[in-house]
Amino acid sequence: MPRIAIISTTFYPDPAVASVRMTQFCRFLPEFGWSPTVLCRHYGFEATADDFARDVHPDVSVRYLTSSPALPVSGSSSGLNTMQRFKGAIGRGPIGQLAVPDLSIRFWRSIRQTARRLIDDIQPQVILTTSPLHATHDLGRWLREETGLPWVADFRDPYRIDPRYQPRGLGLLRRKAHQRFEASIYRNADLILHNIPVEHRWARLAYPDARQRMRQMLNGCPPELAERTIRRPDHDGRSRFSVRVIGAAGDEESQCLVDAVAEKVRQGADLELRFVGHPPRHTDRFHRQLAGRVTLTGLVPHREALDQMAGADLLVCNTSTRRSRSLLLSSKLFEYLAVGVPVLVVNPTFSDRQFLRRRPGVWLLTTPDRRDLIDALDWAMSDDATPPRETVDAFRTRYNRRRQVQTLADDFNQLLRHSSDSGSK
């Protein structure tokens, strides 16, 4: 079985969204003939062999590039020590602004020899690096030069065209350096994957010589949702309508949603509200307004987040105004739409709007007030809000992770054949 080395900032069992894409890739790559080994930083989360076998695959292994956690297990800024706060301030300050592509370049270059030794030990046939942060691709490019192995660059988020990663302040002096760095990826990578459609379209125009090596590989939904085999927890037959926010949520937006739910409860509606993942700030007020009707689970493993999705009557993507200015395509939308219940998207990004255009069962709101949200809740509780069964089934089929990874494995097989043909000449 050919081997692939995947270099990522993080991986399972880290519950952060950044770990999900590669974890899902690794779940299914062995089914299609590839054995993955992941090289990543250690963020303090541990998993047993049984955990890996259940949630990923028994043939997947992880090698850590750091011996101690890079961040506290809580993942919250309140747990940062003085040195970590100092490093964070540097990243946001002038020094961080001058780094290309970002300050993490220092780490990825510092572990080059460690990564090379691991690659020599693993002996993969393909190397894949995934971003953000985009400095991971610097290591992939270097390893390709050192080993001659095919290299796949995976962009989960856009780079230069996304406002979040564009240089600012002193970083404006490094605009050409950012352009050169990005160009070097498209020049040297044997395969480039784009998660965001607008970046895929832009890159095909910006780097025409690399078009044949580009693939649009969007996120998807796990088979548990696609095949409707996931359990629905916390449903005891009550009629209470469950509104659930999974993942990151804006603070002001969350308060506005609480206000709207509280108003509906005062009007006699039987609703509950759940925040699954990092809770917003100032949640004491939530409990005062929705006594016994609000739940904040905190950070949970991805499989538990899927359980919570499957138990919802309305799923809310509650994006902050700041985040909505990015070009991100919210990964949770792929899972939300596979559940088959109404979906409310607050402050959609440009990519969200493009993806959700004309999809039934979806309500979009930009900078809504309480009245707007009450109207959305009224819609969600009506019979007209549930998307048609055939539409949901078609979505589940198209974005099934297993089917996506099968396509990806075919691309890896083609890289392997091309590498063998080149080596035999």
Side-chain angles (χ1 to χ4, degrees), residues 310-322:
D313 296 298
L314 170 66
L315 287 163
V316 182
C317 184
N318 214 21
T319 307
S320 68
T321 303
R322 179 181 178 184

Side-chain angles (χ1 to χ4, degrees), residues 187-350:
R187 185 171 58 251
N188 292 287
D190 298 277
L191 183 66
I192 302 107
L193 307 178
H194 295 130
N195 177 40
I196 309 298
V198 67
E199 182 186 32
H200 184 68
R201 296 192 295 268
W202 175 85
R204 287 175 59 83
L205 294 174
Y207 302 103
D209 291 344
R211 284 180 185 173
Q212 297 302 314
R213 292 179 279 120
M214 297 181 195
R215 302 286 186 273
Q216 182 170 278
M217 179 61 63
L218 275 63
N219 280 321
C221 59
E224 294 92 330
L225 288 177
E227 298 162 8
R228 293 177 293 170
T229 58
I230 203 162
R231 65 191 181 94
R232 300 187 72 193
D234 309 314
H235 268 244
D236 55 7
R238 293 183 304 171
S239 60
R240 181 166 290 178
F241 189 88
S242 185
V243 181
R244 303 191 181 185
V245 182
I246 314 294
D251 295 324
E252 294 181 8
E253 293 74 16
S254 297
Q255 181 60 65
C256 196
L257 180 61
V258 169
D259 292 342
V261 172
E263 178 60 30
K264 288 298 299 177
V265 170
R266 282 193 291 271
Q267 294 174 5
D270 191 12
L271 282 77
E272 70 151 0
L273 177 59
R274 296 191 186 193
F275 293 92
V276 180
H278 276 303
R281 293 182 297 177
H282 313 305
T283 56
D284 289 346
R285 184 177 174 185
F286 296 2
H287 290 287
R288 290 197 299 271
Q289 290 181 267
L290 292 171
R293 293 177 180 267
V294 64
T295 302
L296 298 102
T297 68
L299 207 59
V300 300
H302 184 239
R303 56 187 169 81
E304 292 184 24
L306 296 178
D307 290 343
Q308 292 288 343
M309 288 183 202
D313 296 298
L314 170 66
L315 287 163
V316 182
C317 184
N318 214 21
T319 307
S320 68
T321 303
R322 179 181 178 184
R323 185 178 173 88
S324 71
R325 300 189 188 104
S326 75
L327 292 177
L328 290 177
L329 174 53
S330 303
S331 59
K332 73 183 75 174
L333 290 177
F334 292 88
E335 297 166 341
Y336 277 16
L337 294 172
V339 174
V341 300
V343 173
L344 169 62
V345 183
V346 177
N347 296 329
T349 67
F350 172 82

Side-chain angles (χ1 to χ4, degrees), residues 4-167:
I4 180 169
I6 296 176
I7 299 172
S8 175
T9 299
T10 189
F11 189 70
Y12 175 88
D14 187 346
V17 173
S19 73
V20 173
R21 182 172 167 93
M22 288 303 113
T23 300
Q24 292 295 312
F25 279 11
C26 289
R27 278 187 69 187
F28 304 113
L29 277 171
E31 289 186 24
F32 303 107
W34 284 83
S35 175
T37 298
V38 180
L39 282 61
C40 65
R41 304 180 78 167
H42 196 306
Y43 284 90
F45 299 94
E46 300 285 350
T48 65
D50 289 342
D51 293 333
F52 258 90
R54 180 192 65 221
D55 296 334
V56 191
H57 195 281
D59 292 339
V60 177
S61 60
V62 176
R63 305 284 188 92
Y64 290 109
L65 298 167
T66 51
S67 57
S68 59
L71 285 176
V73 173
S74 66
S76 65
S77 59
S78 61
L80 296 176
N81 61 32
T82 302
M83 180 56 68
Q84 288 161 341
R85 291 178 185 275
F86 176 68
K87 289 179 178 179
I90 289 176
R92 293 186 296 271
I95 297 177
Q97 292 173 0
L98 290 171
V100 176
D102 52 70
L103 195 61
S104 72
I105 190 75
R106 298 172 62 186
F107 167 77
W108 293 108
R109 288 190 173 173
S110 73
I111 55 91
R112 277 181 171 181
Q113 296 306 322
T114 300
R116 176 60 196 270
R117 288 192 292 271
L118 289 171
I119 293 297
D120 290 343
D121 182 45
I122 298 165
Q123 294 187 340
Q125 280 71 46
V126 174
I127 295 171
L128 182 149
T129 53
T130 182
S131 67
L133 295 169
H134 298 296
T136 52
H137 298 313
D138 182 76
L139 180 59
R141 181 185 59 185
W142 181 80
L143 287 170
R144 192 196 188 289
E145 293 172 353
E146 289 288 304
T147 66
L149 292 170
W151 167 42
V152 180
D154 174 53
F155 285 92
R156 301 195 312 273
D157 291 351
Y159 174 20
R160 283 198 305 123
I161 64 171
D162 193 306
R164 295 184 308 150
Y165 301 110
Q166 289 174 349

